[in-house]
Amino acid sequence: MTDDILVKTQNLKEYFPIREGVFSRIKDYVKAVDNVDIFIKKGETLGIAGESGCGKTTLGRAIIQLIKPTDGFVYFIDNDLTKINRKELRKMRPHMQMVFQDPASSLNPRMTVREIIGEPLVINGTAKGEALNNKILELLRTVGLDEQHMYRYPHEFSGGQRQRIGIARALALNPDFIILDEPTSALDVSVQAQILNLLKYLQKKFGLTYLFITHNLSVIKHISDRIAIMYAGKIVELAPTQELFNEPLHPYTKALLSAIPIPDPILKRKFIPLKGEVPSLVNPPPGCRFHPRCDHATQQCSKVEPVLMEVKKDHYVACLPDET
């Protein structure tokens, strides 16, 4: 990897077995992530967007090794995380953290805020005693909370405050890389803006690298440097944020962008409806997985699977050229 790339995946796959019968024999596989190649530069935010069930969260969990990939490679600071043992992986854990979608379920309801944020520090032997309390208080203040919140329980906080606690916990071990799994989707719109601004502030202050997962294109436009569009377990387009919004190339990306509401009753955008349903990840269609729903599909699209290729500088797309 080049010096400016922190995270890189190659041919990453995550297949979940479908079992049946008394002996739980494997009948088939859910191909949640299928041959995904992405890279994330140091200090940038890569956004992953797509419909629910397209494999976004599974991709994030596979990268951080919360689930073991079926196949492929995940490189982090020049280490292949899929090949190192548990002891070596544990040494890498402080450098990569995750903020989960639902702050209510990701925080232990029986632990105080002090215990939640202090747990990774205690486990890793980073701080104890007065130094531990000082570090926890510093983290709370960094995310906009204070000393009065240390001995409260998660149920005593609002959704936005709970997410701030989750972010403080992720920051505890001074990570280089944080995966943000729809961190604002469970929050009110006004609170979403506060959390996004906090994340941008923290990134600038600590030099963090983010993988931001969401289905909300308005949110991802605000925070991401580059965006990858995911469909049925595959990346179909990857480009710098402004270019993706100004000049989308994949038909699926165009349809997604056309559905973004415009906060002006006079202005209108041409809506591109998507026919059919999202394909099964057990038996995806042959060729291009989007071709059954694509108005521009040709016979070739049902036979040949397109490869993600760079069509212009830093702009990648997986779409067969128009035969016409």
Side-chain angles (χ1 to χ4, degrees), residues 263-278:
D264 189 326
I266 299 175
L267 294 177
K268 290 187 178 181
R269 179 187 283 124
K270 183 182 178 183
F271 176 65
I272 304 173
L274 285 176
K275 60 186 179 183
E277 299 292 332
V278 178

Side-chain angles (χ1 to χ4, degrees), residues 40-47 200 203 208-210 212 220-228 238-244:
I40 309 173
K41 299 176 183 177
K42 293 178 181 177
E44 80 163 346
T45 300
L46 175 67
K200 293 183 76 172
Q203 184 176 39
L208 298 170
T209 301
Y210 290 152
F212 193 95
I220 210 170
K221 182 180 181 182
H222 178 72
I223 197 169
S224 300
D225 299 297
R226 293 184 301 129
I227 297 174
L238 172 62
T241 300
Q242 226 27 68
E243 183 168 340
L244 187 87

Side-chain angles (χ1 to χ4, degrees), residues 187-198:
L187 308 176
D188 294 337
V189 175
S190 60
V191 181
Q192 285 183 17
Q194 294 172 18
I195 296 299
L196 290 174
N197 290 333
L198 172 63

Side-chain angles (χ1 to χ4, degrees), residues 27-101:
K27 176 185 177 183
D28 214 327
Y29 291 90
V30 177
K31 303 173 182 66
V33 175
D34 201 3
N35 278 324
V36 168
D37 295 345
I38 60 170
F39 62 91
I40 309 173
K41 299 176 183 177
K42 293 178 181 177
E44 80 163 346
T45 300
L46 175 67
I48 303 283
E51 293 171 279
S52 295
C54 71
K56 306 185 297 297
T57 295
T58 302
L59 173 61
R61 289 171 181 256
I63 288 174
I64 207 171
Q65 303 297 294
L66 287 182
I67 50 177
K68 197 69 177 174
T70 305
D71 198 7
F73 307 92
V74 179
Y75 297 100
F76 177 71
I77 317 180
D78 292 327
N79 294 280
D80 182 2
L81 299 182
T82 64
K83 297 295 186 288
I84 62 178
N85 59 39
R86 291 180 65 182
K87 186 177 180 181
E88 293 171 323
L89 182 59
R90 183 169 181 176
K91 291 180 181 178
M92 298 299 295
R93 287 286 181 209
H95 301 285
M96 49 186 184
Q97 296 293 315
M98 191 164 187
V99 175
F100 298 92
Q101 178 176 358

